[in-house]
Amino acid sequence: MENEVRNIVTHLREWLEAYQEMGFAPPPVPAGRSSMEADVSGTGAVHESEPEGTPSLEALRDHIGDCRRCRLHEGRNHLVFGEGAPNARLVFIGEGPGREEDLAGRPFVGEAGRLLTRIIENGMRLKRGDVYICNVVKCRPPGNRDPETDETATCLPFLERQIRLIKPEVICTLGRVAAGSLAGREFKITMERGKWRTWMGIAWMPTYHPAYLLRNPAAKRPVWADVQEIMRKLNEGGRKNV
Ligand code: SF4
């Protein structure tokens, strides 16, 4: 128990340091609760206070710099910030870079990434450069393991800032881990995908990760349904450029 508390405090400290290093004010603490109580219950939830932060994606990337805020920096070749249209209406979020992404410094460029590109270009009739693609954690977890909770919590303010700067109309998370990171809890992707939710006040559709589709081609059908739903939502929005 003592170790658990010590771990929680360590993780909270790392998360708060990352948040403040980005120029954000500490999250508000509800009256009658200590900051620690407030943070323990947060588990990656969105902080509603609009931070005074970096004014552009470029400035945010500069600010992140040669980040060593969590242990994932130890094994990375490249930090994978994300890429795409800075004012995209649609943002795809994966869990973290894989081996090829780590080598290239770009998100979703391996086999799963090529499938995502086909989904965007053939399924949605968009260009890859019209959307924005990024991950919850910006550095590759060793051996492609899932990011640990503390790693996600430390890196999440960067994703939140990206979303605040891009202001998309729709977010699509890819896979269980990315969805769980946004939800702040275990996410049962087979049961919970395909239903609209909101994250940071933005319409959010969780679907399968393209890597899962490569292993389970039958899952392409539900992903196709999710893609159609996303397009319907974007078309409702009325803007021509995604
Ligand atoms: S995963 Fe995120 S917080 Fe961790 S070192 Fe990389 S950029 Fe920094």
Side-chain angles (χ1 to χ4, degrees):
M1 182 65 186
E2 198 176 310
N3 278 346
E4 274 179 28
V5 171
R6 194 175 299 119
N7 280 343
I8 288 169
V9 170
T10 302
H11 297 162
L12 288 172
R13 189 176 298 124
E14 288 173 357
W15 178 84
L16 272 172
E17 282 171 4
Y19 218 74
Q20 287 173 309
E21 278 178 37
M22 292 174 70
F24 300 166
V29 179
R33 301 173 68 201
S34 71
S35 60
M36 185 167 155
E37 285 169 336
D39 289 338
V40 166
S41 67
T43 59
V46 177
H47 303 281
E48 291 303 330
S49 58
E50 180 63 36
E52 288 299 318
T54 44
S56 67
L57 290 171
E58 293 76 15
L60 175 62
R61 179 63 192 89
D62 286 348
H63 184 88
I64 294 172
D66 183 28
C67 183
R68 293 162 188 232
R69 294 168 179 86
C70 86
R71 70 182 79 83
L72 290 183
H73 80 273
E74 292 166 5
R76 75 169 177 233
N77 287 295
H78 290 101
L79 189 153
V80 181
F81 179 69
E83 67 181 23
N87 59 349
R89 295 177 66 199
L90 171 60
V91 172
F92 287 96
I93 303 175
E95 65 189 70
R99 191 177 69 88
E100 290 181 65
E101 290 75 17
D102 172 63
L103 291 172
R106 296 178 55 211
F108 284 92
V109 292
E111 196 180 357
R114 288 190 285 278
L115 177 53
L116 176 62
T117 302
R118 289 201 296 279
I119 290 170
I120 294 167
E121 295 186 348
N122 301 339
M124 301 181 136
R125 303 277 174 204
L126 302 171
K127 296 195 186 84
R128 181 175 156 120
D130 291 336
V131 303
Y132 197 87
I133 304 174
C134 57
N135 288 294
V136 174
V137 294
K138 313 302 187 199
C139 304
R140 182 194 180 203
N144 287 353
R145 66 160 169 78
D146 291 350
E148 302 280 354
T149 307
D150 62 316
E151 295 159 355
T152 299
T154 305
C155 208
L156 198 64
F158 301 145
L159 175 65
E160 291 177 0
R161 190 67 191 150
Q162 281 175 305
I163 295 298
R164 287 192 200 286
L165 288 164
I166 297 167
K167 300 186 183 70
E169 291 170 44
V170 174
I171 290 167
C172 177
T173 51
L174 302 167
R176 171 185 61 84
V177 175
S181 299
L182 269 57
R185 60 171 173 81
E186 282 294 317
F187 199 88
K188 293 183 172 45
I189 191 73
T190 52
M191 307 281 292
E192 299 189 77
R193 57 137 282 280
K195 298 180 189 120
W196 284 111
R197 298 159 194 283
T198 57
W199 189 64
M200 298 179 67
I202 296 163
W204 161 32
M205 173 63 74
T207 194
Y208 289 123
H209 195 286
Y212 178 76
L213 301 188
L214 293 171
R215 299 191 302 271
N216 301 277
K220 286 181 181 171
R221 185 183 292 267
V223 168
W224 173 248
D226 298 345
V227 160
Q228 296 298 304
E229 188 57 28
I230 289 169
M231 293 312 292
R232 189 190 61 73
K233 177 77 79 180
L234 289 171
N235 288 336
E236 269 177 11
R239 270 165 54 187
K240 290 202 174 107
N241 301 319
V242 172

